C-alpha cells in the first residue's frame, strides 16, 4: 500500500521523443529539476536503460530512471526526490536512535539501582568495622542489615562470627 510504485505524490512521469521534446505531461509549467538531464538522455544515440541521481537546486537529489521504447523511440522517465523516497527510512532511523537512547537510559537507571543496593550495605559494614574495638566487643551491636545479595549477607554473617570469636578469644585470654 505504501510502496513507492503506489505513491503517485512521490513519483513523476515524463516522456520525451528522440529530439528531446517533451510529449508528456503536456503542461509546460510542470518542469522537473532534472529537465536538462532528461533532454540530454532522450537525444543520446545509445539506447541504454539506467538510473541516475541528479542534483538540483539546493542540493536536492532526484532519482531518475528511464527506459527507451524500441517501437516509438520515446524515452520514459520516472523521477522522484531522494528525501521523499527515503522518508520512511529517515523516520525509522530517528525512531531507532530514540529507542536506543531510551534503552540506554533505562540500563543506566537499573545499573545505578543495583550499584546502590550493593554499596549501601557494604558501607554500613565498613562503618561497623571502623567502630569495632576491643573496648566495645561486649556492647557492640551489629546494625540491622538487609541485602538482596547473598554474598553481602554472607560477608555480614562472617563479620558477626568474627566479632563473636574475638570476644570469646579475648575472654579466654583475660580469664
Amino acid at each position: 500500500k505504501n510502496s513507492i510504485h503506489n505513491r503517485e505524490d512521490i513519483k513523476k512521469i515524463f516522456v520525451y521523443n528522440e529530439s528531446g521534446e517533451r510529449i508528456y505531461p503536456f503542461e509546460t509549467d510542470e518542469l522537473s529539476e532534472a529537465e536538462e538531464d532528461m533532454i540530454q538522455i532522450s537525444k543520446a544515440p545509445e539506447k541504454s536503460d539506467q538510473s541516475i541521481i541528479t542534483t538540483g537546486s539546493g542540493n536536492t537529489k532526484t532519482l531518475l530512471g528511464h527506459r527507451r521504447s524500441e517501437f516509438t523511440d520515446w524515452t520514459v522517465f520516472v523521477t522522484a526526490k531522494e528525501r521523499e523516497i527515503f522518508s520512511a527510512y529517515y523516520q525509522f532511523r530517528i525512531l531507532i536512535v530514540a529507542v536506543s537512547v531510551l534503552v540506554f537510559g533505562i540500563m543506566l537507571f537499573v545499573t545505578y539501582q543495583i550499584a546502590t543496593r550493593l554499596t549501601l550495605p557494604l558501607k554500613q559494614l565498613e562503618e561497623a568495622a571502623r567502630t569495632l574495638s576491643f573496648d566495645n566487643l561486649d556492647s557492640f551491636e551489629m546494625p540491622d542489615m538487609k541485602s538482596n545479595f547473598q554474598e553481602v549477607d554472607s560477608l555480614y554473617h562472617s563479620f558477626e562470627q568474627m566479632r563473636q570469636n574475638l570476644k570469646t578469644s579475648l575472654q579466654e585470654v583475660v580469664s
Side-chain angles (χ1 to χ4, degrees), residues 85-103:
I85 290 175
F86 294 114
S87 65
Y89 163 73
Y90 296 142
Q91 290 172 353
F92 182 70
R93 184 177 62 180
I94 290 170
L95 178 69
I96 290 296
V97 168
V99 168
S100 298
V101 168
L102 180 67
V103 166

